[in-house]
Amino acid sequence: MKQRARLRLAAIYVAAALVLAGTVGPFLWLVSSSFQYERQLLNRPPQWLPNPIVLDSYREIFEGAVMGEDSGVPYQSRIFLRSFANSFYVAGSVAVIAVMAGAYAAYPLARLRFRGRQVLLFAILASRLIPALSLAIPIVLVAKRIGMSDKIVSLVFINLSFILPYVIWLLQSYFKTIPMELEDAGRIDGCSRLQVVHKIILPLSLPGLTSAAILAFLLTWGEFLFALLLSESPTSYTSTVVVSLFATDVDVSFVSIITAGVLSVIPPICFALIFQRYIISGLLSGSLKG
Amino acid sequence: MQSGIATARKEMSQGALALFFSAPAVLIIAATILVPFGMAVFLSLHNWNLKRPGRERFVGLENYSDWLSDSDFWVPLRTTFTFAILAVAVIIIIALLISLLLNERFPGRGVLRALLLVPWAIPSVVNALLWKWLLNPQYGLVNALFFEFGIITEYQNMLGSMPSVMIWLVIAYSWIHIPLATLLLLSGLQTIPGDIYESAIVDGASIWQRFLYITLPLLRPMLSIVVIFEMIFAFKVFDIIFVLTAGGPADATNVLGWQIYTETFRKLDFGAGSSIAMLLGAITLALAILFYVFLDKGVEQ
């Protein structure tokens, strides 16, 4: 029997090693490539680990931000840091606003009885079924007409609408887990509904609010379609747009492209690993990335 | 008594309160989803090309009937189906295998589960960049590995021809979609009570029989949800196409999402673009409903 248990564990670890290699392998290769000289990247067979560790491509991006056009630094590298800041701005604003507006919208859906509750819940969910591409067409048209194209505020607003249904859904299911008695006790003590939300529901929902905010941040950080269609210049490019400019340009060196890729996933990957508990619980309470 | 007064001083009715609380969120959603949706329907019924301003006119369902008799709709539709079916199959099979592994108890399980979030957190555009590098025809890691292991005798352009471009597109796309499917299936597996398995073992059921007659039927509700969501996502695929293949080579990966993009934002034909986008939406919705009904029936049996 002991033999069997040992065999089972060995089989599990072989499988786990395969999963591990498949999960982080491709990304680690990207990181390893980013620390090499361009000419080392052209080696056959490939050089697995950087030797020496080369930081030139990183320096190029950090210094590029303050370099002029004639510095020889590729255009994409020069605008990358700006786009990075834009991404933080957009994703951060969306996370904060979505959780605030979402919490108020989720409360009645979780706790109040009113006509049309089911309809509202369904409509909010169904809005996610409409392909973003079909909405993008009129949105771009209107944004250009009213002069809201090429502004990051527009990106905040648009992303908000795609994130909100998701946040509302997540929070209303979280609110339902808070015992009704606590709320009733507050009501008996004379709290208004608004006070109940502020003093009882929200403080007790901190884990739920945190996972909603983190998910909102991550989903917005990775958004590409609207970021592409609603931006025309570096003032409003987000990092995903600049990454696409890198990746589709054959004149830029591989190592610059790769480094941009690595840099633009550092925030989401750090977030994901630090807050993994919140993320997993948020993901499992019904919902998806898309 | 105090509380009696508090409730007597009637606040708003629950309905009014609900309206008040949800107003900001509902307004944002309405402004950016419902209104554009209405406009998209409007555009789809018009001749509306930005290259020919001043010639906008109502054409009824003409855009739709044009698409339905055009191979530029049917060929991308078939490509979309091919891509979606392959991608969903790959995602579900691998996610199921990984979730079965993670459902076992072993030291290090939590770490492995957490690391699944690495591909999940990678934005689709960066994922496309990553695979573009891995699949590089001269210097890519995939070429190097295949060459070293003797699978190929010379380096190849994996994205240069069918069917390999479709296969690699599916792999690249699936790589970031497998983690979420895995976590969802794992949560489904964990709701299956352990004593069912124990009594099955007592009855002499093999591991394969246990999987087929216990795990699979009990996992079916979660499995169907994941299949539906992944199907909807795969039908809307766009980001990875934009960076990795741009619909090529020679339209081999021209899915509906890409066709809508080129029609609207390159040819600037907003009427035609809106109508084909509507068709994509309708197909996605129809599939979701079909799957829901079909898979739900399966659960009842």
Side-chain angles (χ1 to χ4, degrees), chain B residues 54-195:
Chain B
R55 297 244 207 107
E56 295 85 2
R57 63 185 176 86
F58 180 76
V59 293
L61 296 173
E62 203 179 290
N63 285 329
Y64 291 94
S65 59
D66 283 353
W67 279 122
L68 291 176
S69 58
D70 191 342
S71 64
D72 278 352
F73 170 70
W74 294 104
V75 176
L77 179 64
R78 208 178 59 196
T79 310
T80 311
F81 261 104
T82 311
F83 170 80
I85 289 169
L86 289 174
V88 174
V90 168
I91 292 168
I92 296 293
I93 291 169
I94 297 181
L96 189 57
L97 290 174
I98 301 177
S99 64
L100 285 170
L101 172 69
L102 290 174
N103 201 33
E104 297 291 321
R105 282 172 200 282
F106 61 94
R109 177 171 77 151
V111 177
L112 195 59
R113 194 179 75 156
L115 286 175
L116 276 179
L117 290 177
V118 169
W120 174 82
I122 294 179
S124 49
V125 175
V126 184
N127 183 45
L129 176 151
L130 164 64
W131 286 89
K132 205 169 182 173
W133 172 232
L134 289 173
L135 298 171
N136 185 289
Q138 279 96 41
Y139 316 110
L141 185 68
V142 174
N143 262 318
L145 286 177
F146 280 19
F147 184 78
E148 297 300 318
F149 284 107
I151 298 169
I152 51 174
T153 48
E154 57 185 320
Y155 278 37
Q156 295 179 354
N157 182 4
M158 271 95 176
L159 298 175
S161 64
M162 278 295 266
S164 84
V165 60
M166 182 57 86
I167 293 168
W168 286 105
L169 184 67
V170 165
I171 292 172
Y173 173 90
S174 304
W175 187 64
I176 51 169
H177 283 81
I178 287 168
L180 180 57
T182 306
L183 292 174
L184 290 170
L185 292 179
L186 180 61
S187 79
L189 284 175
Q190 285 169 345
T191 61
I192 304 176
D195 44 1

Side-chain angles (χ1 to χ4, degrees), chain A residues 8 13 22 113 161 247 288-289, chain B residues 14 32 107 120 132 175 229:
Chain A
R8 172 185 163 275
Y13 279 115
R113 281 178 199 192
S161 68
L288 296 149
K289 171 180 177 177
Chain B
Q14 299 214 345
T32 48
W120 174 82
K132 205 169 182 173
W175 187 64
F229 276 116

Side-chain angles (χ1 to χ4, degrees), chain B residues 215-225 294-295 297-299:
Chain B
T215 312
L216 219 46
L218 290 176
L219 193 60
R220 198 155 174 169
M222 186 52 96
L223 207 53
S224 46
I225 291 171
F294 175 72
L295 293 169
K297 270 218 183 93
V299 176

Side-chain angles (χ1 to χ4, degrees), chain A residues 272-289:
Chain A
L273 293 180
I274 295 169
F275 297 107
Q276 49 126 335
R277 268 171 211 291
Y278 290 108
I279 291 174
I280 291 177
S281 74
L283 287 173
L284 295 186
S285 70
S287 60
L288 296 149
K289 171 180 177 177

